Amino acid sequence: MEEAVETTNSELDSHSWVALAIFLAALVFVIRPVDFALPKIGWRVYFNLATAPPLGVLILLASHTIDWINIRDGLLGNNMGVEPYAIMLLFYSLAYLCISLDVTGLIQFCAFWVSKRAGNRGHTAFSLFFIMTSLISGLASNDVVVLTGTAFLSYFTRVSDIQPTAFLMSEFTSANIASMALYIGNPTNVVVSEAFNMSFITYSAWMLLPTFVGLAIAYLSLRFVFKSQKYLPRVIHPPDEEPKAVLVDPKGAIFGLILLGACLCTLIGTSFIHGVSVWMVTLPFAVLMLFRDVWYDLKNQWKNRRGSSSSLPMTKMNTTTMIITPPGGVARSIKIEEGKQSDDNNHVIICDNRPNQERDVITETTTEEQDLSVMTTIEIPEAPVRQRNNAIVPRSNNNINDIHDYEESDVATATSATTGGAATKPTTVTVVPTNNKNPLRDRFMHLLLKLRSRLPTMTTVLMRMPWKILPFALSMFILVEALSEVGWIGICATAMVSVAHNNYVATAFGVMGISLLACQLLNNLPMTILFTRILQHPNFAQHASVSDIVSQAAILGLVIGSNLGACLTLVGSLAGIMFEHILKTKGIYTLGYFQFLKWNLLLLPLIAVGTTSVIIGELWFIYLR
């Protein structure tokens, strides 16, 4: 190989510094979103992961730092192996599969089943929950575990009257280690694998053993760190709910599991076929799940219409008073006048015409949830409702007083006083904030409600999809393309050569450590996109001291760093930001930023060294033995 290829790009200029400043500023608002009002025009401006990166792209375009060709390359790829649109298709097809499976109640069923199997044995419950979250994260993704597991464990520890720190740390740590196992466990895995043409089976062959070793080290470390009775008591008092009571759609759960299993098997099979992208495999399975959800909704609607036509007519409700108590707020009453129940869905729409500042915040959403969730659906059965979540409503009419919290929000407790007769079936009441100043938005919300009444399951799944990731990820690809265009990627690639030292051991530990720390400043997905481009740059990839084993060590070190980077601070990943938000909405303050950092400083070093050491052993076995 020739001596170092000098393609460091031209010297840095003013555009270089503008691009770097915009890139870092966008990341600040991703990690710590802000919003403020513009009272004169009645708007509210949000700077978050969905708006700050696209705004940064527009500023760079307006300042002529980048042009439309850079934007095209950032969206479609530039022959460097990464195709952003393909990554997004893969991510969202898998997200639909996993969320639809979650809406059936399967994951909550598993959690209650584990709780029931453990009984009052605290150590057994801890071990079984560790295994459960590891399996779900490995087969689905770490985000699914954070979104569903955190809410359940918050409930479980509260009912069991135990300190939640050990269980929550176990969940988050196991989820982010197990996500290394398969290609689909984390979006960062997809970025690295697509960039370096690693097939599904090749990726798994490298990462399965490090994942198992990392999980074993994590479990032993957690048991040692949280050995005190304060955190992990021997005897607990678990909830007594029956697991089957929370399984809303058993047939849907079975269908979804079969579909997910078939998808994974197909991914393995197509790994040996050249030219078949991963998204081409996952997208058809997501479409099948979508069709099944639509069929399920239409079938239930048809059954409801048949049932309502054969039963006595529903009594018209002249007035209903909704007592809505937001979490930590003061109860308010909302009257529904001249509301009629529909024949098919018993669906009443409340238009809340109060001024914005007087409305109760009924639903709080995470950074990955949709603003559409301002629509709150509350099912009113004959008995009072306790902490009812709207995610379960589309699948069933069962009246279960449970703790389902799929959208990380505490739904307001609702009671109803009805005049003019009692309904024989539960009434779904949707509270819709209206704004006379914005009739277009109100019209859109009502159209969406109409769709939700016709296809509730599909609409619920689509509304829970992390749509904010789409503008965030695509904009980050463009911003990294801008950094490459103005010279920063070439400079970083040259610096990375000094980390490698033509030594695969130093490279694996060096890239793992640097990427892990960079996650705390950049968040793991932007970091992975940036470091992937650095490792692809000719200044690193074609340098004389970078052999095949050194290059592979850097790639695998990046995979480990991007996954474990979430396990140091709460801002290291999008999952960490969601995790923090859920804990706050649940009133859990034992895992703030510094507490989370303190525990991870005890756990993470041993896990990181252990997993990287396995990678080094694999590299020696493949390349040097």
mmCIF file of all heavy atoms in Angstrom, residues 18 30 44 91 96 120 198 225 245 257 262 298 301-302 396 412 423 438 493 523 559 580 603 619 625:
data_model
loop_
_atom_site.group_PDB
_atom_site.id
_atom_site.type_symbol
_atom_site.label_atom_id
_atom_site.label_comp_id
_atom_site.label_asym_id
_atom_site.label_seq_id
_atom_site.Cartn_x
_atom_site.Cartn_y
_atom_site.Cartn_z
ATOM 1 N N VAL A 18 -18.395 27.949 10.404
ATOM 2 C CA VAL A 18 -19.860 28.085 10.435
ATOM 3 C C VAL A 18 -20.507 26.701 10.490
ATOM 4 O O VAL A 18 -21.431 26.461 11.282
ATOM 5 C CB VAL A 18 -20.364 28.870 9.205
ATOM 6 C CG1 VAL A 18 -21.884 28.767 9.090
ATOM 7 C CG2 VAL A 18 -19.944 30.328 9.298
ATOM 8 N N VAL A 30 -30.919 19.259 20.592
ATOM 9 C CA VAL A 30 -31.355 17.867 20.597
ATOM 10 C C VAL A 30 -31.321 17.324 22.021
ATOM 11 O O VAL A 30 -32.255 16.658 22.480
ATOM 12 C CB VAL A 30 -30.468 17.008 19.669
ATOM 13 C CG1 VAL A 30 -30.724 15.520 19.888
ATOM 14 C CG2 VAL A 30 -30.733 17.362 18.214
ATOM 15 N N ARG A 44 -45.795 29.447 18.871
ATOM 16 C CA ARG A 44 -44.826 28.923 19.835
ATOM 17 C C ARG A 44 -43.723 28.238 19.053
ATOM 18 O O ARG A 44 -43.989 27.417 18.177
ATOM 19 C CB ARG A 44 -45.487 27.957 20.814
ATOM 20 C CG ARG A 44 -44.595 27.629 21.990
ATOM 21 C CD ARG A 44 -45.359 27.055 23.167
ATOM 22 N NE ARG A 44 -44.542 27.058 24.378
ATOM 23 C CZ ARG A 44 -44.439 28.069 25.198
ATOM 24 N NH1 ARG A 44 -45.117 29.184 24.967
ATOM 25 N NH2 ARG A 44 -43.658 28.008 26.271
ATOM 26 N N PHE A 91 -35.462 1.299 9.525
ATOM 27 C CA PHE A 91 -35.786 1.681 10.898
ATOM 28 C C PHE A 91 -37.295 1.744 11.110
ATOM 29 O O PHE A 91 -37.826 1.200 12.094
ATOM 30 C CB PHE A 91 -35.141 3.028 11.217
ATOM 31 C CG PHE A 91 -35.511 3.589 12.559
ATOM 32 C CD1 PHE A 91 -34.974 3.048 13.716
ATOM 33 C CD2 PHE A 91 -36.406 4.639 12.673
ATOM 34 C CE1 PHE A 91 -35.315 3.556 14.959
ATOM 35 C CE2 PHE A 91 -36.749 5.153 13.908
ATOM 36 C CZ PHE A 91 -36.201 4.605 15.055
ATOM 37 N N TYR A 96 -42.592 -0.152 13.102
ATOM 38 C CA TYR A 96 -44.020 -0.475 13.000
ATOM 39 C C TYR A 96 -44.281 -1.888 13.502
ATOM 40 O O TYR A 96 -45.241 -2.132 14.246
ATOM 41 C CB TYR A 96 -44.530 -0.331 11.567
ATOM 42 C CG TYR A 96 -46.037 -0.426 11.501
ATOM 43 C CD1 TYR A 96 -46.820 0.707 11.566
ATOM 44 C CD2 TYR A 96 -46.683 -1.666 11.437
ATOM 45 C CE1 TYR A 96 -48.200 0.621 11.566
ATOM 46 C CE2 TYR A 96 -48.053 -1.759 11.440
ATOM 47 C CZ TYR A 96 -48.814 -0.611 11.499
ATOM 48 O OH TYR A 96 -50.187 -0.704 11.515
ATOM 49 N N ASN A 120 -42.924 -13.611 45.404
ATOM 50 C CA ASN A 120 -42.401 -12.633 46.362
ATOM 51 C C ASN A 120 -40.892 -12.714 46.535
ATOM 52 O O ASN A 120 -40.334 -12.177 47.492
ATOM 53 C CB ASN A 120 -43.087 -12.804 47.717
ATOM 54 C CG ASN A 120 -42.805 -14.180 48.328
ATOM 55 O OD1 ASN A 120 -42.186 -15.036 47.695
ATOM 56 N ND2 ASN A 120 -43.282 -14.372 49.547
ATOM 57 N N MET A 198 -21.615 -4.775 5.872
ATOM 58 C CA MET A 198 -21.697 -5.961 6.725
ATOM 59 C C MET A 198 -23.101 -6.542 6.630
ATOM 60 O O MET A 198 -24.086 -5.850 6.886
ATOM 61 C CB MET A 198 -21.381 -5.611 8.182
ATOM 62 C CG MET A 198 -19.953 -5.158 8.410
ATOM 63 S SD MET A 198 -19.669 -4.619 10.131
ATOM 64 C CE MET A 198 -19.896 -6.164 11.011
ATOM 65 N N VAL A 225 -23.163 -4.442 42.966
ATOM 66 C CA VAL A 225 -23.344 -3.019 43.297
ATOM 67 C C VAL A 225 -24.625 -2.808 44.103
ATOM 68 O O VAL A 225 -24.664 -2.000 45.043
ATOM 69 C CB VAL A 225 -23.341 -2.167 42.009
ATOM 70 C CG1 VAL A 225 -23.780 -0.732 42.315
ATOM 71 C CG2 VAL A 225 -21.963 -2.169 41.369
ATOM 72 N N ALA A 245 -54.949 -10.869 31.586
ATOM 73 C CA ALA A 245 -55.844 -9.717 31.615
ATOM 74 C C ALA A 245 -55.301 -8.543 30.819
ATOM 75 O O ALA A 245 -56.060 -7.673 30.380
ATOM 76 C CB ALA A 245 -56.096 -9.290 33.057
ATOM 77 N N LEU A 257 -45.601 -12.103 16.510
ATOM 78 C CA LEU A 257 -44.408 -12.877 16.842
ATOM 79 C C LEU A 257 -43.958 -13.733 15.661
ATOM 80 O O LEU A 257 -42.758 -13.830 15.364
ATOM 81 C CB LEU A 257 -44.693 -13.773 18.051
ATOM 82 C CG LEU A 257 -44.537 -13.142 19.429
ATOM 83 C CD1 LEU A 257 -44.932 -14.137 20.502
ATOM 84 C CD2 LEU A 257 -43.106 -12.673 19.643
ATOM 85 N N ALA A 262 -40.262 -14.635 11.288
ATOM 86 C CA ALA A 262 -40.053 -14.862 9.857
ATOM 87 C C ALA A 262 -39.153 -13.790 9.261
ATOM 88 O O ALA A 262 -38.321 -14.063 8.384
ATOM 89 C CB ALA A 262 -41.405 -14.887 9.136
ATOM 90 N N LEU A 298 -61.357 -3.199 10.976
ATOM 91 C CA LEU A 298 -62.584 -3.315 10.179
ATOM 92 C C LEU A 298 -63.457 -4.460 10.680
ATOM 93 O O LEU A 298 -64.686 -4.350 10.710
ATOM 94 C CB LEU A 298 -62.228 -3.514 8.698
ATOM 95 C CG LEU A 298 -61.526 -2.331 8.024
ATOM 96 C CD1 LEU A 298 -61.173 -2.684 6.584
ATOM 97 C CD2 LEU A 298 -62.394 -1.074 8.063
ATOM 98 N N GLN A 301 -65.145 -3.312 13.842
ATOM 99 C CA GLN A 301 -66.182 -2.326 13.533
ATOM 100 C C GLN A 301 -67.439 -3.016 13.008
ATOM 101 O O GLN A 301 -68.560 -2.667 13.389
ATOM 102 C CB GLN A 301 -65.650 -1.327 12.506
ATOM 103 C CG GLN A 301 -66.519 -0.098 12.337
ATOM 104 C CD GLN A 301 -65.872 0.895 11.399
ATOM 105 O OE1 GLN A 301 -65.650 0.587 10.222
ATOM 106 N NE2 GLN A 301 -65.570 2.071 11.893
ATOM 107 N N TRP A 302 -67.235 -4.018 12.174
ATOM 108 C CA TRP A 302 -68.368 -4.766 11.635
ATOM 109 C C TRP A 302 -69.099 -5.509 12.748
ATOM 110 O O TRP A 302 -70.330 -5.535 12.809
ATOM 111 C CB TRP A 302 -67.861 -5.743 10.576
ATOM 112 C CG TRP A 302 -68.946 -6.571 9.954
ATOM 113 C CD1 TRP A 302 -69.892 -6.171 9.061
ATOM 114 C CD2 TRP A 302 -69.198 -7.968 10.209
ATOM 115 N NE1 TRP A 302 -70.703 -7.210 8.722
ATOM 116 C CE2 TRP A 302 -70.315 -8.340 9.421
ATOM 117 C CE3 TRP A 302 -68.588 -8.922 11.008
ATOM 118 C CZ2 TRP A 302 -70.826 -9.631 9.413
ATOM 119 C CZ3 TRP A 302 -69.097 -10.204 11.011
ATOM 120 C CH2 TRP A 302 -70.205 -10.558 10.221
ATOM 121 N N SER A 396 -59.351 -3.451 22.190
ATOM 122 C CA SER A 396 -60.339 -4.228 22.921
ATOM 123 C C SER A 396 -61.296 -3.321 23.649
ATOM 124 O O SER A 396 -61.009 -2.180 23.935
ATOM 125 C CB SER A 396 -59.615 -5.149 23.915
ATOM 126 O OG SER A 396 -60.544 -5.795 24.760
ATOM 127 N N ALA A 412 -55.104 11.308 32.664
ATOM 128 C CA ALA A 412 -55.863 11.847 33.779
ATOM 129 C C ALA A 412 -56.946 10.885 34.234
ATOM 130 O O ALA A 412 -57.580 10.212 33.445
ATOM 131 C CB ALA A 412 -56.513 13.160 33.356
ATOM 132 N N ALA A 423 -75.459 4.136 29.668
ATOM 133 C CA ALA A 423 -75.062 3.342 28.517
ATOM 134 C C ALA A 423 -74.765 1.926 28.949
ATOM 135 O O ALA A 423 -74.361 1.658 30.063
ATOM 136 C CB ALA A 423 -73.830 3.954 27.864
ATOM 137 N N ASN A 438 -57.030 28.969 14.852
ATOM 138 C CA ASN A 438 -56.385 28.062 13.914
ATOM 139 C C ASN A 438 -57.391 27.023 13.438
ATOM 140 O O ASN A 438 -57.316 25.845 13.796
ATOM 141 C CB ASN A 438 -55.182 27.382 14.575
ATOM 142 C CG ASN A 438 -54.260 26.756 13.545
ATOM 143 O OD1 ASN A 438 -54.639 26.552 12.392
ATOM 144 N ND2 ASN A 438 -53.054 26.429 13.977
ATOM 145 N N ALA A 493 -10.040 12.322 10.375
ATOM 146 C CA ALA A 493 -9.543 11.026 9.901
ATOM 147 C C ALA A 493 -8.029 10.919 10.076
ATOM 148 O O ALA A 493 -7.502 9.866 10.454
ATOM 149 C CB ALA A 493 -9.931 10.819 8.441
ATOM 150 N N ASN A 523 -24.517 12.793 21.401
ATOM 151 C CA ASN A 523 -25.581 11.810 21.328
ATOM 152 C C ASN A 523 -25.136 10.687 20.375
ATOM 153 O O ASN A 523 -24.388 10.918 19.438
ATOM 154 C CB ASN A 523 -26.895 12.445 20.865
ATOM 155 C CG ASN A 523 -28.104 11.602 21.228
ATOM 156 O OD1 ASN A 523 -28.520 10.792 20.434
ATOM 157 N ND2 ASN A 523 -28.659 11.812 22.401
ATOM 158 N N VAL A 559 -18.995 0.130 17.007
ATOM 159 C CA VAL A 559 -20.272 -0.500 17.347
ATOM 160 C C VAL A 559 -20.440 -0.571 18.869
ATOM 161 O O VAL A 559 -21.494 -0.218 19.416
ATOM 162 C CB VAL A 559 -20.365 -1.913 16.731
ATOM 163 C CG1 VAL A 559 -21.602 -2.641 17.262
ATOM 164 C CG2 VAL A 559 -20.421 -1.834 15.218
ATOM 165 N N GLU A 580 -35.170 9.437 30.915
ATOM 166 C CA GLU A 580 -35.228 10.524 31.903
ATOM 167 C C GLU A 580 -36.619 11.142 31.952
ATOM 168 O O GLU A 580 -37.154 11.420 33.026
ATOM 169 C CB GLU A 580 -34.186 11.589 31.564
ATOM 170 C CG GLU A 580 -34.162 12.752 32.537
ATOM 171 C CD GLU A 580 -33.204 13.851 32.092
ATOM 172 O OE1 GLU A 580 -32.976 13.997 30.871
ATOM 173 O OE2 GLU A 580 -32.693 14.563 32.969
ATOM 174 N N LEU A 603 -20.296 0.613 36.942
ATOM 175 C CA LEU A 603 -20.661 -0.531 36.117
ATOM 176 C C LEU A 603 -19.969 -0.545 34.755
ATOM 177 O O LEU A 603 -19.496 -1.601 34.295
ATOM 178 C CB LEU A 603 -22.180 -0.543 35.890
ATOM 179 C CG LEU A 603 -23.076 -0.675 37.124
ATOM 180 C CD1 LEU A 603 -24.523 -0.370 36.765
ATOM 181 C CD2 LEU A 603 -22.966 -2.079 37.709
ATOM 182 N N LEU A 619 -10.688 -10.963 16.720
ATOM 183 C CA LEU A 619 -9.805 -10.453 15.664
ATOM 184 C C LEU A 619 -8.527 -11.285 15.575
ATOM 185 O O LEU A 619 -8.061 -11.611 14.470
ATOM 186 C CB LEU A 619 -9.462 -8.988 15.947
ATOM 187 C CG LEU A 619 -10.608 -7.977 15.768
ATOM 188 C CD1 LEU A 619 -10.244 -6.635 16.372
ATOM 189 C CD2 LEU A 619 -10.947 -7.805 14.279
ATOM 190 N N ARG A 625 -4.128 -16.029 13.961
ATOM 191 C CA ARG A 625 -3.755 -17.334 14.507
ATOM 192 C C ARG A 625 -3.142 -18.250 13.441
ATOM 193 O O ARG A 625 -3.354 -18.107 12.260
ATOM 194 C CB ARG A 625 -4.979 -18.013 15.130
ATOM 195 C CG ARG A 625 -6.029 -18.486 14.114
ATOM 196 C CD ARG A 625 -7.190 -19.149 14.842
ATOM 197 N NE ARG A 625 -8.226 -19.537 13.882
ATOM 198 C CZ ARG A 625 -8.243 -20.732 13.269
ATOM 199 N NH1 ARG A 625 -7.318 -21.626 13.564
ATOM 200 N NH2 ARG A 625 -9.199 -21.018 12.399
#
